[in-house]
Amino acid sequence: MSYQKYADIIIDISHENLDKTYQYAIPEEFSTQATIGSLVIVPFGRGNRKINGYIVNIATEPKLDINKIKPLEQVVEDAPVIESHLIYLAYWMKETFGGTINDSLKTVMPVKKAVKRKEEKSIRLLVDQKQANDLYYEYQRKNNKARVRLLEALMKKAVLDYSDVIDKLKVSRSTIQGLEKLGVIETIIKEIDRNPIKHEIKENRINELNLEQKYIADKIKNDYNSGIRSTYLIHGITGSGKTEVYMDIIEAVIAKKQQVIVLIPEIALTYQTVLRFLGRFGKRISIMNSRMSQGERYDQFLRAKNGEIDIMIGPRSALFTPFQNLGLIIIDEEHENSYKSEITPKYHAVPVAIKRAQLVNASVILGSATPSLESYHKAMAGEYQLFRLTKRAKDAATPKVWIIDLREELKNKNRSIFSYKLKELINDRLAKNEQIMLFLNRRGYAGFVSCRSCGHVMKCPHCDISLTSHNNGKIVCHYCAYEERLPSLCPACKSRYIAAFGTGTQKVEEYVRKEFPQARTLRMDMDTTRNKGDHEKILSAFSKHQADILVGTQMIVKGHDFPKVTLVGIIAADLSLYAGDFRASERTFQLLCQAAGRAGRDAIPGEVVIQTYHPEHYSIVTAARGDYEEFFRQEMLYRGLMKYPPVAHILLVLATSKEESKAAESAYYIGEAIKEFIGDDNEEMQIIGPAPANLSKANDIYRQVIYLKHDNYNHLVEIKNYLEGFYQNSELLKGCNLQFDFNPMSSY
Ligand code: ADP
Ligand code: ZN
Ligand code: ZN
């Protein structure tokens, strides 16, 4: 018997078994019905027990001896579709972003592993005190010590915690069961509320939408109610009331008994934001975050699947919430880097959301004050419907922005990190008892450590990056956490002139204390937010005005409302311009706009000081004016000239190995394989590399990269597929690991 097609079938969709698929043949009669994601019935095991499974892959060649492959028995039509959709989505992600089907399934399917019910167990005495007393003496006579201990404790306190009985009283489960059978005690199990939201819910006053907001909300609701599904981009300046618009539309969707996923970058998923949604929608909401255990997240997925909630709010992974009747996906701050996965499959949440929405006939709303070039480009091309919110909702004036040329300051004998203008305005705000935010768009403390005599730079022995000094006298690798003591002599030339350079948030804080000793200062960066809750603690102290100045990295510019902040100072705006990747200007523009958006959120108008060595750079000039369109125009010229996304597409191939020579060799073979594959068609294909990555070694693994640029994404997908096959079949690449990243957002 021969077949045309074979299906890989997954039997149990649980995390542990994802790697285990079984191949079945697809009989001719099912060849059109059987597609990826289909629910099928197959004969399983020796007894050919009939069980359910899902098709995760289809091939034209069998993996085993053809006589050992059984045909599948039936394709179930109109099956419960949520699993089918998610499996199909996983398959699409594998195709579009690379990696194996297992990588994708693990990303998409909820983890079943830790389904611990959350419950409180306790033990209660069932007999009265007199009977207990009698039993107590009886057990003592019989020398039944465990029973004696338990009864003694229960006579003092009628209800005991189950785990205390086991752990502290050292009473075994079998002893407990014995007494239960005799009717002396009982075990009480109370299920705990699985809702992760513990705040008390206060109902919000619903803001009446202003005209701009109402126009957008009405348009989208009209579409929705008349069955039109689409992708929308809301470009609205900070504070223009995007969240209010989302909530208005969400209401219309849940009124139709459909569900909504709201993605918010984790860093902006603050108490304030969550409370707003809670106040509006109450208990039918759940949230997810990375601090939750896998079991807790699985629990939330289960609640969604069972229809206990209508709205899921969370970061990237919330995209896969198994709602049965999804109507809308919202991605707020859609330009954020955190929407791109850093592990394989290296997917971006926006195209995945759009794909998922297409599969189930839902809509997608993207929102941002500074849309990504990709999204705005698509909106211009008519792929997304574009809406604008141009005014702050609360009538606050947009802030006044000063651009300060740091070269001029130096000429005027100002050697401090604060320009004359910034100093003047800080003093002014301190005198008026208003608040100030000082922002440094680079992570960290004092920068790298180098020798002023010979130029030697202290590097991590495991990674190809410089070590960063901390004020505890240690130097630390931010990549692998390696640390050592700051040497007193240069290891290369033995001079004493080895020291930390560059300005970090810690240094800024020191200067603030020196220059403005009367001010109360808080600092927020990686260093001060190590522990759970640190983040909230600092922000809440600042919002209660327990400090006058908040110094920080980009963490401080996201998603917070501080009505008394009337001055924002950006210490060195150029720092992010030289990040060395093609998105550096875009990121600088976004950060500056966001930082500016923090000034004057309420009745008092705000001011912003941008200090820079490049006052003429377009990303700084346009950010200062809040002119997104002009920034977009200029940046698109650059992207077009260089063939960078969104004008063309990039496929990054990363080859890694424990051996330096192996990594280089493999990258060479891959490069040659690519050239052979594209043949003469390489006019339109740009190949850059192979070459060592910027981060050429990380955790003792050597890294080589090849960049491919082409106008057509699908053509790059073909190359990826070809290389995946080459990797599986060629001995040449043994001992090397291969990864793909389309249109990368992080540097390699
Ligand atoms: P965005 O999400 O665009 O940054 P928000 O939705 O957070 O903006 O709105 C900014 C502030 O304005 C919030 O405090 C919000 O409560 C308020 N706000 C938004 N829309 C209105 C409105 N129509 N009437 C009154 N206040 C509003
Ligand atoms: Zn030296
Ligand atoms: Zn390291």
Side-chain angles (χ1 to χ4, degrees), residues 207-210 213 239-244 276 393-394 561:
N207 286 319
E208 198 176 316
L209 297 185
N210 63 35
Q213 289 171 314
S240 58
K242 293 183 287 297
T243 312
E244 293 299 317
R276 276 173 79 187
K394 278 183 177 164
D561 242 329

